[in-house]
């Protein structure tokens, strides 16, 4: 079955797994030369949110993104 998702669909809601997230992050690295940590998928859960992070990293000319979990609630 071919399932398409939109840029605003939540990663986990459409059945995303840790293996899928690794594939996504590898593709981002291959295409944009930006290395993102696996934890980022838990916070940026849509393609649109990941695109913003990649775009900002390219504007800042950073190829490695460190991600700090927000501990304030």
């Amino acid at each position: 079955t071919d399932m398409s998702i939109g840029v605003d669909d939540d990663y986990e809601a459409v059945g995303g797994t840790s293996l899928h997230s690794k594939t996504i992050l590898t593709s981002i690295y291959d295409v944009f030369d930006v290395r993102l940590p696996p934890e980022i998928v838990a916070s940026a859960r849509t393609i649109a949110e990941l695109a913003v992070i990649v775009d900002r990293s390219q504007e800042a000319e950073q190829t490695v993104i460190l991600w700090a979990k927000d501990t304030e609630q």
Side-chain angles (χ1 to χ4, degrees), residues 9-46:
D9 289 336
D10 183 283
Y11 170 76
E12 287 186 11
V14 296
T17 66
S18 60
L19 183 57
H20 293 127
S21 67
K22 183 176 180 179
T23 302
I24 291 166
L25 297 176
T26 298
S27 295
I28 289 171
Y29 177 73
D30 290 346
V31 173
F32 300 103
D33 196 30
V34 174
R35 189 175 306 275
L36 301 173
E39 301 82 28
I40 207 163
V41 177
S43 296
R45 294 169 51 146
T46 68

